[in-house]
Amino acid sequence: ADRPEWLSRNPGRLMQQLFFALTHGDFAPYRAARLVPMTESGGTLPRLLDHLDADQAVSAIEAVKKTPGLEDYQREPLITAIQLRFPKLHEEKEEALYALQDSINAKRAELKQLAEEEIPENRKAIESARELGDLRENFEYHAARRRHEYLSVRAGKLDEDLRRVRLIDPSSISGEEAAIGAKVLFRSKDGSECAYSVLGPWESDPDQNILSNESELAKKILGRRIGDTVPLPEGSYEIVAVEAWEAS
């Protein structure tokens, strides 16, 4: 990232080559000591982000999301950094996040614990590890730094989600149309029945037929009325009732 002759090339392409190296067997001996540090804070990859243009940024986000060579604690800071540099990429995708009150309370409690307990404890661990000596060979220090990045990203994501959260109120379900907060009952032509509930991503539980409103199947159901036919995984089913969701 300090060499003009390299930066004159396509920075997005350089990122792709680094992602390739992270997963290619020929580079395995260099992965832990050389390649992974290049992806982390202060390394080559984050510094390349300053040289992306808007079009390259879109491709870069997709590449970061898809490369199997990155862990979540490495992936999320890179995506956040690109979105901060190109705010429109973030704004265009920001939508309301729907959730029940219990889920909102749980996320608020998690954020409070991160901010008041885990992050301060991690800062102390970093300082203690720093006092042990040479940071280049200091495993405790690097482990604490990785933990710090993970906690910071997690707290940032929770804060962002809570700012755009919208309360799901099942009591507002009219019974006429499938909406978020509803349990929708279906019947096929042969008389078999099934039901799907549509809540938010925090409540999603496919094993219990509870769908996130962001899922493809939920999008097929939302807005439909009694008598409408919907293609379900079980086949083609007609909506016979729409009820307010209740916890079992």
Side-chain angles (χ1 to χ4, degrees):
D2 295 323
R3 297 178 60 178
E5 68 273 22
W6 281 75
L7 288 178
S8 64
R9 302 170 64 182
N10 183 336
R13 175 63 178 155
L14 287 176
M15 290 179 65
Q16 293 280 6
Q17 290 174 324
L18 179 54
F19 292 152
F20 172 79
L22 280 168
T23 57
H24 197 283
D26 289 349
F27 293 93
Y30 309 101
R31 187 176 188 278
R34 300 288 298 279
L35 293 171
V36 170
M38 291 173 71
T39 69
E40 297 178 344
S41 179
T44 296
L45 185 55
R47 292 158 72 187
L48 281 174
L49 302 182
D50 290 338
H51 301 276
L52 297 173
D53 61 32
D55 291 336
Q56 292 167 343
V58 174
S59 299
I61 287 178
E62 291 304 312
V64 171
K65 288 180 178 178
K66 293 179 181 178
T67 185
L70 295 174
E71 301 292 340
D72 286 343
Y73 78 87
Q74 299 162 326
R75 195 185 315 273
E76 293 183 8
L78 290 171
I79 293 174
T80 300
I82 296 172
Q83 290 174 337
L84 288 173
R85 179 165 167 72
F86 299 94
K88 288 187 177 180
L89 295 180
H90 184 55
E91 292 168 3
E92 289 171 0
K93 294 186 176 181
E94 186 167 285
E95 299 177 354
L97 189 156
Y98 291 91
L100 296 171
Q101 188 64 61
D102 286 348
S103 297
I104 296 172
N105 292 343
K107 297 297 181 183
R108 284 174 176 162
E110 182 183 354
L111 179 59
K112 187 174 187 292
Q113 181 177 344
L114 284 168
E116 297 181 3
E117 298 178 27
E118 295 189 45
I119 290 177
E121 289 173 4
N122 176 253
R123 289 198 189 104
K124 292 179 183 177
I126 290 174
E127 291 306 314
S128 297
R130 193 192 300 274
E131 295 171 359
L132 296 178
D134 188 351
L135 298 183
R136 291 173 298 178
E137 304 296 332
N138 190 329
F139 173 80
E140 289 82 1
Y141 173 78
H142 290 292
R145 286 291 304 176
R146 286 194 292 271
R147 176 70 174 164
H148 173 73
E149 291 184 4
Y150 168 77
L151 293 174
S152 297
V153 169
R154 179 60 183 160
K157 183 67 166 60
L158 282 170
D159 180 65
E160 176 188 329
D161 286 346
L162 286 167
R163 281 189 286 106
R164 63 189 182 94
V165 76
R166 300 291 183 272
L167 179 65
I168 297 174
D169 180 12
S171 67
S172 67
I173 297 300
S174 67
E176 299 176 357
E177 180 181 296
I180 301 172
K183 179 178 181 180
V184 185
L185 285 67
F186 296 89
R187 183 181 297 129
S188 68
K189 289 183 178 180
D190 65 9
S192 58
E193 296 183 344
C194 65
Y196 283 91
S197 300
V198 182
L199 299 176
W202 291 342
E203 294 87 20
S204 176
D205 186 351
D207 290 340
Q208 300 297 320
N209 280 8
I210 299 176
L211 307 175
S212 162
N213 68 290
E214 298 175 357
S215 69
E216 290 302 315
L217 181 53
K219 291 176 182 177
K220 294 178 182 178
I221 296 172
L222 290 171
R224 299 295 189 95
R225 294 175 171 271
I226 293 175
D228 286 350
T229 299
V230 180
L232 303 177
E234 297 86 349
S236 183
Y237 277 64
E238 178 184 333
I239 296 178
V240 294
V242 177
E243 303 173 350
W245 179 84
E246 293 183 7
S248 56

